[in-house]
Amino acid sequence: MHTERNLLKTLSLTLICCISGGGCTKKMEDYQSADLVLLNGKIVTMDDQGTIAEAAACKLGKILAVGGNDEVRRSIGRLTRVIDLKGKTAVPGLIDSHCHITGTALEMEGLVDLSEEAGVGSLEDIGRKIAERAGTLPAGEWISGAREDDYKLAEKRHPTRWDLDQAAAGHPVIISTVGGHF
């Protein structure tokens, strides 16, 4: 009981001090300034002109300002974390530390999508998609597929050469798995 009363007194005094302006550690500037500022870098802005800026400021995970060092420095407050990029590059929006963005884009260009998301749940589905592509190509043209995942197929196995030959007689076929390693 005694401890609860002391805690209540402390909280009341703290609140009174904050309201009167005498005891708060945060100032209005702290709420308006950036959480993070990046200086002296190559900030890829992703705008239509391909602009590369020198600095950027962020607040609560959102970009506040992008531009020159002097312009962005105005966003710095006493609680702002400032990082000197020393000429290094920063790219917005990339969170995954291991991704194959360009490889995946190039891989999917013109390839048969053999993923579960594309409606593939069995070897029969793979055969149907490969056969559909074969029907649009002259004999002997390569058919390439990607994102096959044996774990998500009803048969729990990869298609064999014979499965693929049956689907696309007269066409060489190559497919890769969802991870691109097989």
Side-chain angles (χ1 to χ4, degrees), residues 127-150:
R128 180 179 40 75
K129 285 188 154 285
I130 296 293
E132 286 172 6
R133 179 60 59 87
T136 67
L137 299 172
E141 291 285 321
W142 274 92
I143 298 171
S144 299
R147 299 178 66 203
E148 179 266 322
D149 189 346
D150 62 314

PDB file of all heavy atoms in Angstrom, residues 127-150:
ATOM      1  N   GLY A 127       2.280 -30.369 -66.750  1.00  0.00           N
ATOM      2  CA  GLY A 127       2.152 -30.862 -68.123  1.00  0.00           C
ATOM      3  C   GLY A 127       1.216 -30.010 -68.958  1.00  0.00           C
ATOM      4  O   GLY A 127       1.518 -29.685 -70.113  1.00  0.00           O
ATOM      5  N   ARG A 128       0.097 -29.608 -68.363  1.00  0.00           N
ATOM      6  CA  ARG A 128      -0.881 -28.789 -69.081  1.00  0.00           C
ATOM      7  C   ARG A 128      -0.279 -27.436 -69.457  1.00  0.00           C
ATOM      8  O   ARG A 128      -0.399 -26.978 -70.593  1.00  0.00           O
ATOM      9  CB  ARG A 128      -2.135 -28.592 -68.220  1.00  0.00           C
ATOM     10  CG  ARG A 128      -3.224 -27.752 -68.882  1.00  0.00           C
ATOM     11  CD  ARG A 128      -4.463 -27.598 -67.992  1.00  0.00           C
ATOM     12  NE  ARG A 128      -4.191 -27.388 -66.571  1.00  0.00           N
ATOM     13  CZ  ARG A 128      -3.755 -26.244 -66.033  1.00  0.00           C
ATOM     14  NH1 ARG A 128      -3.508 -25.209 -66.794  1.00  0.00           N
ATOM     15  NH2 ARG A 128      -3.561 -26.145 -64.727  1.00  0.00           N
ATOM     16  N   LYS A 129       0.420 -26.788 -68.517  1.00  0.00           N
ATOM     17  CA  LYS A 129       1.011 -25.474 -68.785  1.00  0.00           C
ATOM     18  C   LYS A 129       2.126 -25.568 -69.833  1.00  0.00           C
ATOM     19  O   LYS A 129       2.239 -24.710 -70.699  1.00  0.00           O
ATOM     20  CB  LYS A 129       1.539 -24.840 -67.495  1.00  0.00           C
ATOM     21  CG  LYS A 129       0.428 -24.302 -66.607  1.00  0.00           C
ATOM     22  CD  LYS A 129       1.030 -23.523 -65.463  1.00  0.00           C
ATOM     23  CE  LYS A 129       0.095 -22.494 -64.927  1.00  0.00           C
ATOM     24  NZ  LYS A 129      -0.081 -21.311 -65.726  1.00  0.00           N
ATOM     25  N   ILE A 130       2.943 -26.618 -69.748  1.00  0.00           N
ATOM     26  CA  ILE A 130       4.014 -26.811 -70.729  1.00  0.00           C
ATOM     27  C   ILE A 130       3.399 -27.087 -72.113  1.00  0.00           C
ATOM     28  O   ILE A 130       3.849 -26.544 -73.126  1.00  0.00           O
ATOM     29  CB  ILE A 130       4.958 -27.961 -70.299  1.00  0.00           C
ATOM     30  CG1 ILE A 130       5.684 -27.601 -68.986  1.00  0.00           C
ATOM     31  CG2 ILE A 130       5.933 -28.328 -71.411  1.00  0.00           C
ATOM     32  CD1 ILE A 130       6.674 -26.469 -69.085  1.00  0.00           C
ATOM     33  N   ALA A 131       2.357 -27.913 -72.155  1.00  0.00           N
ATOM     34  CA  ALA A 131       1.686 -28.234 -73.421  1.00  0.00           C
ATOM     35  C   ALA A 131       1.053 -26.984 -74.040  1.00  0.00           C
ATOM     36  O   ALA A 131       1.105 -26.793 -75.265  1.00  0.00           O
ATOM     37  CB  ALA A 131       0.628 -29.317 -73.202  1.00  0.00           C
ATOM     38  N   GLU A 132       0.471 -26.133 -73.208  1.00  0.00           N
ATOM     39  CA  GLU A 132      -0.109 -24.874 -73.714  1.00  0.00           C
ATOM     40  C   GLU A 132       0.957 -24.028 -74.390  1.00  0.00           C
ATOM     41  O   GLU A 132       0.742 -23.476 -75.466  1.00  0.00           O
ATOM     42  CB  GLU A 132      -0.760 -24.091 -72.575  1.00  0.00           C
ATOM     43  CG  GLU A 132      -2.074 -24.653 -72.102  1.00  0.00           C
ATOM     44  CD  GLU A 132      -2.593 -23.966 -70.830  1.00  0.00           C
ATOM     45  OE1 GLU A 132      -1.997 -22.964 -70.361  1.00  0.00           O
ATOM     46  OE2 GLU A 132      -3.614 -24.451 -70.297  1.00  0.00           O
ATOM     47  N   ARG A 133       2.131 -23.902 -73.759  1.00  0.00           N
ATOM     48  CA  ARG A 133       3.212 -23.120 -74.354  1.00  0.00           C
ATOM     49  C   ARG A 133       3.702 -23.780 -75.639  1.00  0.00           C
ATOM     50  O   ARG A 133       3.958 -23.108 -76.629  1.00  0.00           O
ATOM     51  CB  ARG A 133       4.359 -22.957 -73.358  1.00  0.00           C
ATOM     52  CG  ARG A 133       5.546 -22.169 -73.885  1.00  0.00           C
ATOM     53  CD  ARG A 133       5.215 -20.726 -74.316  1.00  0.00           C
ATOM     54  NE  ARG A 133       4.663 -19.913 -73.275  1.00  0.00           N
ATOM     55  CZ  ARG A 133       5.356 -19.199 -72.392  1.00  0.00           C
ATOM     56  NH1 ARG A 133       6.664 -19.188 -72.451  1.00  0.00           N
ATOM     57  NH2 ARG A 133       4.736 -18.501 -71.465  1.00  0.00           N
ATOM     58  N   ALA A 134       3.804 -25.115 -75.631  1.00  0.00           N
ATOM     59  CA  ALA A 134       4.261 -25.842 -76.823  1.00  0.00           C
ATOM     60  C   ALA A 134       3.349 -25.562 -78.015  1.00  0.00           C
ATOM     61  O   ALA A 134       3.812 -25.449 -79.151  1.00  0.00           O
ATOM     62  CB  ALA A 134       4.330 -27.338 -76.537  1.00  0.00           C
ATOM     63  N   GLY A 135       2.062 -25.424 -77.741  1.00  0.00           N
ATOM     64  CA  GLY A 135       1.096 -25.156 -78.806  1.00  0.00           C
ATOM     65  C   GLY A 135       1.272 -23.787 -79.453  1.00  0.00           C
ATOM     66  O   GLY A 135       0.719 -23.540 -80.528  1.00  0.00           O
ATOM     67  N   THR A 136       2.033 -22.899 -78.844  1.00  0.00           N
ATOM     68  CA  THR A 136       2.239 -21.553 -79.395  1.00  0.00           C
ATOM     69  C   THR A 136       3.593 -21.402 -80.092  1.00  0.00           C
ATOM     70  O   THR A 136       3.882 -20.336 -80.623  1.00  0.00           O
ATOM     71  CB  THR A 136       2.149 -20.483 -78.286  1.00  0.00           C
ATOM     72  OG1 THR A 136       3.264 -20.636 -77.388  1.00  0.00           O
ATOM     73  CG2 THR A 136       0.833 -20.580 -77.521  1.00  0.00           C
ATOM     74  N   LEU A 137       4.420 -22.462 -80.072  1.00  0.00           N
ATOM     75  CA  LEU A 137       5.783 -22.374 -80.602  1.00  0.00           C
ATOM     76  C   LEU A 137       6.007 -23.341 -81.756  1.00  0.00           C
ATOM     77  O   LEU A 137       5.433 -24.430 -81.772  1.00  0.00           O
ATOM     78  CB  LEU A 137       6.793 -22.694 -79.488  1.00  0.00           C
ATOM     79  CG  LEU A 137       6.806 -21.792 -78.265  1.00  0.00           C
ATOM     80  CD1 LEU A 137       7.718 -22.375 -77.183  1.00  0.00           C
ATOM     81  CD2 LEU A 137       7.252 -20.385 -78.635  1.00  0.00           C
ATOM     82  N   PRO A 138       6.876 -22.973 -82.691  1.00  0.00           N
ATOM     83  CA  PRO A 138       7.250 -23.926 -83.744  1.00  0.00           C
ATOM     84  C   PRO A 138       8.022 -25.101 -83.153  1.00  0.00           C
ATOM     85  O   PRO A 138       8.706 -24.946 -82.130  1.00  0.00           O
ATOM     86  CB  PRO A 138       8.151 -23.117 -84.682  1.00  0.00           C
ATOM     87  CG  PRO A 138       8.106 -21.693 -84.231  1.00  0.00           C
ATOM     88  CD  PRO A 138       7.499 -21.661 -82.864  1.00  0.00           C
ATOM     89  N   ALA A 139       7.939 -26.246 -83.776  1.00  0.00           N
ATOM     90  CA  ALA A 139       8.646 -27.444 -83.300  1.00  0.00           C
ATOM     91  C   ALA A 139      10.131 -27.147 -83.141  1.00  0.00           C
ATOM     92  O   ALA A 139      10.724 -26.414 -83.928  1.00  0.00           O
ATOM     93  CB  ALA A 139       8.442 -28.598 -84.277  1.00  0.00           C
ATOM     94  N   GLY A 140      10.710 -27.685 -82.079  1.00  0.00           N
ATOM     95  CA  GLY A 140      12.135 -27.513 -81.828  1.00  0.00           C
ATOM     96  C   GLY A 140      12.490 -26.313 -80.967  1.00  0.00           C
ATOM     97  O   GLY A 140      13.623 -26.199 -80.506  1.00  0.00           O
ATOM     98  N   GLU A 141      11.554 -25.390 -80.752  1.00  0.00           N
ATOM     99  CA  GLU A 141      11.814 -24.215 -79.904  1.00  0.00           C
ATOM    100  C   GLU A 141      11.840 -24.634 -78.436  1.00  0.00           C
ATOM    101  O   GLU A 141      11.063 -25.482 -77.997  1.00  0.00           O
ATOM    102  CB  GLU A 141      10.727 -23.151 -80.091  1.00  0.00           C
ATOM    103  CG  GLU A 141      10.749 -22.482 -81.437  1.00  0.00           C
ATOM    104  CD  GLU A 141      11.889 -21.486 -81.578  1.00  0.00           C
ATOM    105  OE1 GLU A 141      12.192 -20.774 -80.606  1.00  0.00           O
ATOM    106  OE2 GLU A 141      12.485 -21.451 -82.680  1.00  0.00           O
ATOM    107  N   TRP A 142      12.736 -23.992 -77.697  1.00  0.00           N
ATOM    108  CA  TRP A 142      12.851 -24.274 -76.267  1.00  0.00           C
ATOM    109  C   TRP A 142      11.624 -23.763 -75.511  1.00  0.00           C
ATOM    110  O   TRP A 142      11.095 -22.700 -75.817  1.00  0.00           O
ATOM    111  CB  TRP A 142      14.083 -23.576 -75.687  1.00  0.00           C
ATOM    112  CG  TRP A 142      15.338 -24.376 -75.837  1.00  0.00           C
ATOM    113  CD1 TRP A 142      16.220 -24.309 -76.872  1.00  0.00           C
ATOM    114  CD2 TRP A 142      15.828 -25.355 -74.933  1.00  0.00           C
ATOM    115  NE1 TRP A 142      17.239 -25.201 -76.670  1.00  0.00           N
ATOM    116  CE2 TRP A 142      17.034 -25.849 -75.476  1.00  0.00           C
ATOM    117  CE3 TRP A 142      15.379 -25.871 -73.718  1.00  0.00           C
ATOM    118  CZ2 TRP A 142      17.793 -26.826 -74.854  1.00  0.00           C
ATOM    119  CZ3 TRP A 142      16.138 -26.835 -73.094  1.00  0.00           C
ATOM    120  CH2 TRP A 142      17.326 -27.308 -73.663  1.00  0.00           C
ATOM    121  N   ILE A 143      11.245 -24.529 -74.480  1.00  0.00           N
ATOM    122  CA  ILE A 143      10.225 -24.105 -73.521  1.00  0.00           C
ATOM    123  C   ILE A 143      10.921 -24.044 -72.170  1.00  0.00           C
ATOM    124  O   ILE A 143      11.557 -25.013 -71.746  1.00  0.00           O
ATOM    125  CB  ILE A 143       9.036 -25.090 -73.465  1.00  0.00           C
ATOM    126  CG1 ILE A 143       8.356 -25.151 -74.835  1.00  0.00           C
ATOM    127  CG2 ILE A 143       8.054 -24.673 -72.364  1.00  0.00           C
ATOM    128  CD1 ILE A 143       7.311 -26.240 -74.943  1.00  0.00           C
ATOM    129  N   SER A 144      10.807 -22.909 -71.528  1.00  0.00           N
ATOM    130  CA  SER A 144      11.430 -22.722 -70.216  1.00  0.00           C
ATOM    131  C   SER A 144      10.358 -22.420 -69.182  1.00  0.00           C
ATOM    132  O   SER A 144       9.461 -21.614 -69.422  1.00  0.00           O
ATOM    133  CB  SER A 144      12.426 -21.569 -70.261  1.00  0.00           C
ATOM    134  OG  SER A 144      13.451 -21.839 -71.185  1.00  0.00           O
ATOM    135  N   GLY A 145      10.463 -23.086 -68.043  1.00  0.00           N
ATOM    136  CA  GLY A 145       9.527 -22.857 -66.940  1.00  0.00           C
ATOM    137  C   GLY A 145      10.293 -22.553 -65.666  1.00  0.00           C
ATOM    138  O   GLY A 145      11.477 -22.876 -65.546  1.00  0.00           O
ATOM    139  N   ALA A 146       9.611 -21.931 -64.730  1.00  0.00           N
ATOM    140  CA  ALA A 146      10.265 -21.542 -63.474  1.00  0.00           C
ATOM    141  C   ALA A 146       9.300 -21.651 -62.310  1.00  0.00           C
ATOM    142  O   ALA A 146       8.096 -21.666 -62.479  1.00  0.00           O
ATOM    143  CB  ALA A 146      10.788 -20.116 -63.584  1.00  0.00           C
ATOM    144  N   ARG A 147       9.882 -21.705 -61.115  1.00  0.00           N
ATOM    145  CA  ARG A 147       9.179 -21.683 -59.829  1.00  0.00           C
ATOM    146  C   ARG A 147       8.452 -23.000 -59.514  1.00  0.00           C
ATOM    147  O   ARG A 147       7.530 -23.017 -58.718  1.00  0.00           O
ATOM    148  CB  ARG A 147       8.240 -20.480 -59.741  1.00  0.00           C
ATOM    149  CG  ARG A 147       8.989 -19.158 -59.856  1.00  0.00           C
ATOM    150  CD  ARG A 147       8.090 -17.952 -59.819  1.00  0.00           C
ATOM    151  NE  ARG A 147       7.459 -17.845 -58.520  1.00  0.00           N
ATOM    152  CZ  ARG A 147       6.322 -17.199 -58.283  1.00  0.00           C
ATOM    153  NH1 ARG A 147       5.691 -16.597 -59.249  1.00  0.00           N
ATOM    154  NH2 ARG A 147       5.815 -17.152 -57.075  1.00  0.00           N
ATOM    155  N   GLU A 148       8.903 -24.105 -60.101  1.00  0.00           N
ATOM    156  CA  GLU A 148       8.319 -25.408 -59.783  1.00  0.00           C
ATOM    157  C   GLU A 148       8.714 -25.770 -58.346  1.00  0.00           C
ATOM    158  O   GLU A 148       9.834 -25.549 -57.935  1.00  0.00           O
ATOM    159  CB  GLU A 148       8.851 -26.456 -60.777  1.00  0.00           C
ATOM    160  CG  GLU A 148       8.326 -27.854 -60.541  1.00  0.00           C
ATOM    161  CD  GLU A 148       9.244 -28.708 -59.682  1.00  0.00           C
ATOM    162  OE1 GLU A 148      10.470 -28.620 -59.820  1.00  0.00           O
ATOM    163  OE2 GLU A 148       8.721 -29.464 -58.858  1.00  0.00           O
ATOM    164  N   ASP A 149       7.764 -26.289 -57.569  1.00  0.00           N
ATOM    165  CA  ASP A 149       8.022 -26.627 -56.166  1.00  0.00           C
ATOM    166  C   ASP A 149       7.436 -28.003 -55.863  1.00  0.00           C
ATOM    167  O   ASP A 149       6.230 -28.154 -55.665  1.00  0.00           O
ATOM    168  CB  ASP A 149       7.398 -25.566 -55.258  1.00  0.00           C
ATOM    169  CG  ASP A 149       7.803 -25.707 -53.803  1.00  0.00           C
ATOM    170  OD1 ASP A 149       8.355 -26.766 -53.422  1.00  0.00           O
ATOM    171  OD2 ASP A 149       7.559 -24.766 -53.029  1.00  0.00           O
ATOM    172  N   ASP A 150       8.312 -29.016 -55.828  1.00  0.00           N
ATOM    173  CA  ASP A 150       7.848 -30.390 -55.626  1.00  0.00           C
ATOM    174  C   ASP A 150       7.118 -30.574 -54.302  1.00  0.00           C
ATOM    175  O   ASP A 150       6.245 -31.421 -54.182  1.00  0.00           O
ATOM    176  CB  ASP A 150       9.008 -31.381 -55.755  1.00  0.00           C
ATOM    177  CG  ASP A 150      10.091 -31.177 -54.721  1.00  0.00           C
ATOM    178  OD1 ASP A 150      10.500 -30.019 -54.497  1.00  0.00           O
ATOM    179  OD2 ASP A 150      10.548 -32.183 -54.146  1.00  0.00           O
TER     180      ASP A 150
END
